[in-house]
Amino acid sequence: MSEGLRLPNWGTSRPPMHSSVWPAGGQTLFAFARVFPWRPAPAAEQHPSPPSRPAMPVASTSLPTLLDHRLRIEAARYVLGALSSDELRDLATEALLRGTDSRSLALLAGAPRCDHPADLRALFEAGLREAGIKLPRRLEAAERLKRHYAGQVAAGRLAPLTGAHAIIDVYWQIGDELPATKAFVGDEFGIATLYGLFWALDELPVGDSAYAALEAKLVAACGVIAAGRRA
C-alpha cells in the first residue's frame, strides 16, 4: 500500500464532526463539515409535477375515417411519384399509432435510412393492401387529388392559390396521358376555368382592387371541381 496516504481507523464509531485528521507523515487533510439533516423544500419552492400527456386516440377495430381518407390521398400521391422515403416512414408511423394492424407498415416505420427506396416502396404497397387500401391507376389518382385539393380550397383549409397550383401540378404530371383537345388549356382535365383564374390571380399584387374578386371566383371554381364537375 502506498505510504503517501494513511486512512485513520475509527472502527465502527462515527468520525468526529467538524474536525481535521492528519495521518502520520500525511500530505492530505481530511475535513469533515457539519452534516445537516435533509429537510423538504417549502411548498412554494417545490416544482409542480408536469401535466400528463393526453393519450392519442387509437382505433379499436379498423382505420378511422380520416386516416382512411388520408391513406387514399397519399396512395394517389404515391402513384404519381410525389412521396419521398421519409414521407413513407411517417405515414406508416401515423397509421400504426392510430391502431392499424399491419406488419409491413411496422417494418416500414422502423426501417433504417440506409434501406433501398425500392424496399421501402414494397413495404408501403404491402402495408396499404393489409390496410384495405387499393392503389389507383394514374389517371384515377390524378382525379382523386384534383378533387381533394379543390375541396380543401372550398372548405377554407387551403389557400386558393396554393390549392389551384397543386391541381395544376397534378395536371402537368398526367397531361400527356389525357385525350388531346383543341379547347382551352386544362380543358381535358376539367380545369380550364381554374387554370385561367390561377394565372390571372398569380400576376396580381395582393392589394390590387381586382384581387379579392378573382380569388372568390377561384374558390367558387374549386367548389365546382370538388363536386365532380368541370370548371
Side-chain angles (χ1 to χ4, degrees):
M1 184 174 178
S2 173
E3 296 297 331
L5 176 62
R6 298 178 187 275
L7 297 179
N9 182 11
W10 289 299
T12 59
S13 62
R14 185 174 181 180
M17 295 295 98
H18 205 63
S19 64
S20 299
V21 179
W22 293 83
Q27 304 292 325
T28 306
L29 171 65
F30 291 86
F32 295 88
R34 183 182 300 274
V35 177
F36 292 96
W38 177 85
R39 297 185 180 87
E45 298 179 9
Q46 294 181 4
H47 296 287
S49 301
S52 58
R53 175 181 294 183
M56 177 177 291
V58 177
S60 56
T61 55
S62 61
L63 283 170
T65 303
L66 287 177
L67 182 58
D68 181 82
H69 176 72
R70 167 81 185 279
L71 286 178
R72 292 181 188 279
I73 294 301
E74 298 303 340
R77 292 184 63 216
Y78 172 79
V79 167
L80 297 184
L83 284 181
S84 66
S85 296
D86 285 340
E87 287 177 300
L88 293 179
R89 291 189 187 88
D90 291 343
L91 283 170
T93 300
E94 179 183 351
L96 292 171
L97 289 174
R98 292 183 179 274
T100 307
D101 185 12
S102 167
R103 179 178 179 275
S104 297
L105 290 180
L107 291 173
L108 175 58
R113 293 184 179 276
C114 60
D115 276 12
H116 195 280
D119 296 332
L120 300 179
R121 291 194 295 269
L123 287 173
F124 182 68
E125 292 180 14
L128 288 179
R129 288 193 297 270
E130 292 165 6
I133 305 296
K134 182 180 178 181
L135 282 176
R137 297 180 181 276
R138 283 179 58 82
L139 292 183
E140 180 187 350
E143 183 69 21
R144 183 182 300 176
L145 289 175
K146 178 184 75 172
R147 295 184 62 178
H148 168 71
Y149 293 135
Q152 292 289 297
V153 172
R157 291 189 288 267
L158 196 60
L161 275 179
T162 302
H165 187 277
I167 294 171
I168 292 171
D169 185 60
V170 171
Y171 166 61
W172 284 337
Q173 292 182 62
I174 48 89
D176 293 340
E177 303 168 44
L178 295 169
T181 177
K182 295 181 180 180
F184 297 105
V185 176
D187 191 53
E188 65 271 37
F189 195 42
I191 62 166
T193 300
L194 178 140
Y195 194 95
L197 287 171
F198 170 80
W199 289 113
L201 190 61
D202 188 58
E203 295 174 355
L204 285 178
V206 176
D208 191 281
S209 58
Y211 190 93
L214 281 175
E215 187 177 54
K217 290 181 179 179
L218 183 57
V219 172
C222 284
V224 172
I225 292 171
R229 302 194 300 273
R230 304 170 66 87

